[in-house]
Amino acid sequence: MKSTVEHLSPTRVKLAVEVPFDELKPNFDRAYKKIAKQVRIPGFRPGKAPARILDQRLGRGVVLEEVVNEAVPAKYGEAVSEAEVQPLGQPDIEVTEIEDGDKLAFTAEVDVRPEFTVPDYSSIAVEVDAAEVTDDDVDEQLKGLQARFGTLTGVDRPVQSGDFVVIDLSATVDGEAIEEAQTTGMSHEVGSGQLIEGLDEALEGMTAGETKQFTTKLVAGDHAGEDAEVSVTVQTVKERQLPEADDEFAQLASEFDTLDELKDDLRTRYARVKKMEQGSQARDRVLEALLEAADVPLPESVVQSEVEVRAHEAVHEFDHDEQKLTQYVESQGQTREEFDTELRTNAEQAVKTQLLLDRIADDAGVQVEQQELMERIMMQAQRFGVSPEEYIQQAQQANQLGAVFADVRRGKALATVVQSATITGPDGAEVDLSELFGTAGDVEGETIDEALEDATAEGADAAAGPTDPSDSTATQVADADSDASDPESPSSQVEAEPGADTEVVGAPDSTTRA
């Protein structure tokens, strides 16, 4: 086989492949065997008709088509290996010549992982907020704990923010009742903002038995983006009474004997939360600086695939009705053109992030521990309300375990960047985040095959109980809510598999939809 490669652009190549028919003999043997089993020829048992009879009865073209369909993908893979390129997505293949008994020739155009220079991330310096816990923070945490043990008492006065009310709701659009917006006896905390816009403002000052109308824009359902006239009736008003913050409450709400001990524990716990928030902020700002410094050519087919995924997700929320999506976008003060432009910008940023982190992972030799992969799988399983075993099975069926691995690997790559960057607080002092991200050079792990094999084997054991997300450190902070490679939550269109000769475009949002 002979092959040549032509670089059409920094992100796309054209392979020209020529295969002598001598190399196709095994393909012809398999083709004749397969065809013989599929047809019935008088005088021959199924699968026993010789090649010359098949050629006579069916024509040589049938056999050549079978050979080409089998041989071209395999020879394409060989050509990719010889050219030492890393394809992204499926190739556009064109058979250019078939000379029976002589040669088979075809071309393949495909987007490839581009070559680019990784910025010196050791020179990145960012500032993050302080992680100190104030007395006010502790008091706020204590009030939250008190609220969990509070009691609701009916009051005979106008509604105030923080009250709990039982209400009836109904809505109309252009005089037509909206069935999904009708409800009675609904409990609601005033000021929580958990229901429709404008409701809390309407409720404040109302009394039990009173009805009020107000106008709001619907954000979901068949009338998303349209103005609706809403009627709300207050049935009851209750206020929450908090227990006294004293030693007795500490004993009721915790394992501690005194309020001071409880406050110390709340301070310690909240300090961990603040540190995680500081780590997340450092991660985001370091990634932003890294992307700003990097010049990464973007494969158009991968970007377009990401755009299509995001567009599908957006319209899916409106039952695939483009008009409803447009109405909603406009209700948020944005034109559809602006929305589409922003969607593409975010897709480009996602692909750039993935390519950059994959390259950093390759250069740093980043691998993934089986435990890290299992932690991600269990987090995702918990997020979607399925067992880890079921999540693994679904990911295997969708051929997307590699995408899960890729996201974890990118998270570790980002951690290596944060490790090398300079992180300072508001006072200019350097912030130590080694507890969250490890120390520079800590990239040991397993190969993808080892990690995936172990994760699959232990899926059933993992189903016994997910790990506590609060116990994880570097991987979770670097991963940014289960999509490490992109603050805009990319759909893992570019899969990274260390040592693999080729890479493919993953199914839409494969990591999070398995």
Side-chain angles (χ1 to χ4, degrees), residues 191-232:
S192 65
Q194 293 179 347
L195 295 178
I196 56 179
E197 184 178 351
L199 175 62
D200 288 333
E201 291 79 2
L203 285 171
E204 288 193 41
M206 293 180 65
T207 57
E210 184 179 353
T211 299
K212 183 183 289 187
Q213 284 78 35
F214 64 97
T215 302
T216 189
K217 244 179 222 315
L218 299 177
V219 298
D222 294 338
H223 296 275
E226 299 182 35
D227 287 335
E229 292 297 321
V230 180
S231 175
V232 56

Side-chain angles (χ1 to χ4, degrees), residues 103-143:
K103 64 182 178 181
L104 163 67
F106 66 91
T107 61
E109 287 191 23
V110 66
D111 280 343
V112 295
R113 187 175 296 279
E115 292 295 328
F116 55 87
T117 301
V118 177
D120 177 16
Y121 43 82
S122 64
S123 64
I124 292 177
V126 300
E127 180 181 310
V128 295
D129 296 337
E132 61 180 296
V133 179
T134 65
D135 290 342
D136 288 341
D137 291 330
V138 175
D139 289 341
E140 185 178 348
Q141 295 299 307
L142 181 60
K143 286 181 180 178

Side-chain angles (χ1 to χ4, degrees), residues 121 124-126 281-292 414 417-419 421-423:
Y121 43 82
I124 292 177
V126 300
Q281 190 178 64
R283 172 210 63 211
D284 292 344
R285 292 182 178 179
V286 166
L287 178 58
E288 182 180 352
L290 179 68
L291 292 171
E292 182 69 25
L414 181 54
V417 178
V418 178
Q419 291 164 8
T422 300
I423 316 295

Side-chain angles (χ1 to χ4, degrees), residues 20 39 42 47 82 86 111 119 124 164 196 217 261 298 328 400 439 458 476 505:
V39 299
E82 290 181 4
Q86 294 180 306
D111 280 343
I124 292 177
F164 286 79
I196 56 179
K217 244 179 222 315
E261 290 176 322
L298 301 180
Y328 172 74
Q400 291 306 318
T439 55
E458 294 195 8
Q476 282 192 328
V505 177

Side-chain angles (χ1 to χ4, degrees), residues 97 144 157 180 209 289 459:
E97 188 177 3
R157 59 163 173 76
E180 62 268 26

Side-chain angles (χ1 to χ4, degrees), residues 408-426:
V408 177
R409 187 169 183 260
R410 290 180 190 126
K412 294 191 69 174
L414 181 54
T416 66
V417 178
V418 178
Q419 291 164 8
S420 301
T422 300
I423 316 295
T424 57

